[in-house]
Amino acid sequence: MHATVKKKVELRKEYSSIIAVDMGARWVGVSVAPHRNKPKFYGKRIREVRRKYFWLRRKLGREKKLRAIKKIEHKEKRIVNDELHKIAKDIVDEAERHNAIIAIGNLNGVRNNNKGRKVNRKVNSIPFYRMKEYNKASERGILVIEVPEFNTSKQCSKCGSMNTKRPSQGVFICKDCGYQINADVNGAKNILKRAHA
Ligand SMILES: [Zn+2]
């Protein structure tokens, strides 16, 4: 069955800020916003939980305790889901406080097809791609926009150059202007720039 639900929501007419969220590889998400200087990193607890359950699964696997593995898989899923909701709520709350638009990267079309596990996993971890969270934001009058995420991890957010490198997963360096920054923060800054445009 395929059902479509339509609901009229009142969006605000003017916004005074933008929260740009990049779904990173190391973090569930990183956001930057003009109304604050510091980037926000989301998902520390999820990383801890995943690590903990990874070791637990291995241990149980060696002991061949299959039923126990199933049980903890459910538990892990529940905790991670819970944390994702908290992250989404945190972002929507901040947007409400600062009268901000939420801008998220859009990996062109990956939601609708299978383009490999890595991409899917990244998309699955995005709370805003789940309609529920999106609806929650718009019910509160907050606009969520998608900007093309193409090359946001390769492009320098300071000078726009593509002549860049990542000596390690977390570090971004621009070979043209010398800008050095956390790679996920650079991605979020690019999303912010594109959202402005
Ligand atoms: Zn640069």
Side-chain angles (χ1 to χ4, degrees), residues 156 158-159 161 174 177 179:
C156 171
K158 201 168 191 180
C159 73
S161 168
C174 176
C177 75
Y179 192 43

Side-chain angles (χ1 to χ4, degrees), residues 96-110:
E96 196 164 49
R97 273 200 310 278
H98 293 274
N99 188 29
I101 287 171
I102 297 168
I104 52 174
N106 175 17
L107 289 160
N108 211 5
V110 280

Side-chain angles (χ1 to χ4, degrees), residues 40-101:
K40 266 192 189 172
F41 296 85
Y42 309 100
K44 184 167 180 261
R45 172 128 167 78
I46 288 178
R47 256 162 71 175
E48 289 165 1
V49 167
R50 288 215 165 116
R51 194 172 302 144
K52 180 186 150 189
Y53 279 89
F54 172 80
W55 290 111
L56 208 54
R57 255 199 313 277
R58 254 183 43 161
K59 186 174 166 283
L60 291 170
R62 272 198 300 263
E63 294 164 3
K64 306 232 182 316
K65 291 179 175 162
L66 296 179
R67 201 180 295 168
I69 291 175
K70 264 263 163 346
K71 212 170 153 189
I72 64 159
E73 265 171 8
H74 282 300
K75 200 175 169 196
E76 182 186 8
K77 225 180 195 168
R78 215 181 51 228
I79 296 171
V80 168
N81 258 330
D82 233 52
E83 287 298 313
L84 287 175
H85 280 295
K86 275 187 208 159
I87 291 166
K89 190 181 176 299
D90 190 83
I91 296 169
V92 176
D93 284 349
E94 190 188 346
E96 196 164 49
R97 273 200 310 278
H98 293 274
N99 188 29
I101 287 171

Side-chain angles (χ1 to χ4, degrees), residues 135-151:
N135 285 340
K136 247 184 250 165
S138 51
E139 268 170 23
R140 287 160 70 175
I142 294 155
L143 182 65
V144 180
I145 61 166
E146 294 179 18
V147 299
E149 205 179 23
F150 190 66
N151 280 334

